[in-house]
Amino acid sequence: MARLAGVSPQTVSRFLRFNGGLKAATVERVENAIRELDYRPNLVARSMRTRKTGRLAILMPAMAFNPSRMLAGAGATADAAGYFVDVVSAGGGVRARSERLLELADSGQFEGILSLAPVLPSVQNQLHQRTAVVISADFDDEMRGIGELADGTPVVQMIERLAALGHSRFFHVAGDAQFASARARKQSYLDTVERLGVESVGVFDGDWSGESGIEAIRSLPSRSRPTAVIAANDLVAAGVVRGARERGWDVPGDVSVTGWDNVAVGQFMTPSLTTVDVDLERLGSNAMAKLIAGLRDTEHETNEESLFRIIWRESTAEPPPADRPDRKRRPPAGAVAGAGVGQTG
């Protein structure tokens, strides 16, 4: 490889150890040689020579949702840095997960471990220094979002924008109250409607399902039609749209509807669904970057940008004329100027 790249064997070795400091032209020549030779590092030989395995572990609790987007972000970051990743699922709660983490650290198979759920504080005192560990506690034992993932701020932003359009009667279809994210969205809803002085026609405690969205709309008295419904997620929102049509309400002509999660089908619904996109790939990538920075004793740059982005689509618009007699005609929600950081049309 060194001969093909026109560099010394020491330079190739330095490149493969990720020590940096090489000229851009040198890096390009080595990379071209690697591609031409279809080179794959022998991890066994390297671990015998350097006592480094080139392997990392991601520790997950028993999974209650599909974590593929977050793992894709973490895996891509690890791959770009030259590491192989194993994903390990550990059931049994925080104590069992803590014991599993220590087993992985003691096995000598992994240079670093990323845990995406909490472990016992005592774990840090039992770790060998040769194994780097990062605890990125974004989920609880049942893979329910906590921490930054439970932030309800987008609900505040959606209500504020809809109220600016003239909406005055809101309804919230909440998710399962066992989830911190559902509780945070509900509390954000209640706090915001009170602060803005708009009317809440109620909160329906659902379970993340489309059926709960339908049932929520069916439960409303005919005199209590809201002008905007804030649904806990996109599946609930789809049920809300279905329930509204059963009652002869047009979306968004009579009632605007918002969701959360930006599931792929939402953009193809009729009308397309206003939603909150969560950058799970970046969440996984940031956590993995922190682990790799610890392994290499380099500075980890924290990305302060919000994980959330509101995508305004056809399911939200100004309220019907009867609900805004003193307001001038306004454009659809997705076209309002000055929507704020993290929002897009």
Side-chain angles (χ1 to χ4, degrees):
M1 184 191 302
R3 185 182 305 133
L4 180 61
V7 299
S8 67
Q10 291 81 4
T11 298
V12 172
S13 177
R14 185 177 177 185
F15 174 89
L16 295 175
R17 290 199 310 269
F18 312 103
N19 283 349
L22 298 176
K23 295 180 180 179
T26 301
V27 170
E28 183 178 1
R29 290 201 301 271
V30 175
E31 288 178 341
N32 289 338
I34 288 174
R35 283 192 293 269
E36 185 172 338
L37 296 173
D38 194 25
Y39 171 78
R40 297 288 185 276
N42 187 319
L43 293 181
V44 175
R46 187 173 75 178
S47 65
M48 293 176 64
R49 183 178 68 255
T50 66
R51 296 186 179 181
K52 296 183 182 296
T53 65
R55 293 176 63 193
L56 306 175
I58 300 177
L59 186 62
M60 307 281 291
M63 298 177 189
F65 89 121
N66 184 351
S68 59
R69 289 179 56 199
M70 187 173 55
L71 292 177
T77 298
D79 182 67
Y83 290 95
F84 288 85
V85 174
D86 291 334
V87 178
V88 181
S89 178
V94 64
R95 185 170 298 279
R97 184 167 55 255
S98 300
E99 293 174 355
R100 184 66 173 130
L101 188 150
L102 290 172
E103 290 174 1
L104 294 173
D106 290 340
S107 71
Q109 298 181 57
F110 304 101
E111 292 183 45
I113 301 169
L114 170 61
S115 178
L116 295 178
V119 297
L120 296 174
S122 59
V123 165
Q124 294 288 352
N125 298 326
Q126 301 177 58
L127 290 169
H128 297 296
Q129 291 185 351
R130 66 175 180 270
T131 304
V133 173
V134 165
I135 311 300
S136 182
D138 302 300
F139 299 92
D140 66 10
D141 291 344
E142 302 299 328
M143 286 305 289
R144 296 175 292 210
I146 56 178
E148 188 174 3
L149 282 180
D151 185 5
T153 299
V155 168
V156 176
Q157 296 170 339
M158 288 190 291
I159 295 174
E160 288 176 340
R161 186 164 176 180
L162 290 168
L165 280 174
H167 287 272
S168 59
R169 293 195 307 279
F170 289 81
F171 183 52
H172 179 47
V173 187
D176 188 336
Q178 294 184 76
F179 288 70
S181 55
R183 297 193 299 272
R185 291 169 205 175
K186 177 179 177 178
Q187 192 60 52
S188 294
Y189 168 85
L190 293 171
D191 291 344
T192 305
V193 295
E194 181 179 4
R195 174 172 57 85
L196 296 179
V198 293
E199 179 185 355
S200 172
V201 301
V203 172
F204 185 91
D205 292 317
D207 58 6
W208 302 120
S209 70
E211 288 80 2
S212 69
I214 296 174
E215 185 57 34
I217 297 300
R218 289 174 177 170
S219 72
L220 289 170
S222 57
R223 64 183 181 279
S224 298
R225 176 179 59 80
T227 63
V229 179
I230 308 297
N233 69 6
D234 289 350
L235 187 55
V236 172
V240 167
V241 173
R242 177 63 178 266
R245 287 180 174 168
E246 285 184 357
R247 300 193 65 162
W249 300 346
D250 179 69
V251 179
D254 295 315
V255 58
S256 290
V257 179
T258 70
W260 188 297
D261 283 337
N262 191 26
V263 297
V265 71
Q267 62 185 309
F268 303 112
M269 289 174 56
T270 303
S272 58
L273 184 63
T274 290
T275 188
V276 177
D277 181 69
V278 185
D279 195 346
L280 294 173
E281 290 86 354
R282 181 157 59 87
L283 181 68
S285 176
N286 286 346
M288 181 58 72
K290 182 178 180 181
L291 176 61
I292 293 172
L295 284 168
R296 298 180 177 175
D297 196 24
T298 58
E299 190 72 22
H300 171 61
E301 296 184 4
T302 302
N303 190 334
E304 300 294 341
E305 185 180 349
S306 173
L307 289 173
F308 305 111
R309 178 175 61 108
I310 299 175
I311 301 176
W312 294 95
R313 296 193 181 116
E314 298 166 342
S315 66
T316 47
E318 60 185 1
D323 292 292
R324 47 178 176 83
D326 299 324
R327 288 189 168 269
K328 296 180 180 180
R329 181 73 182 173
R330 294 175 180 266
V336 174
V341 177
Q343 302 184 11
T344 183

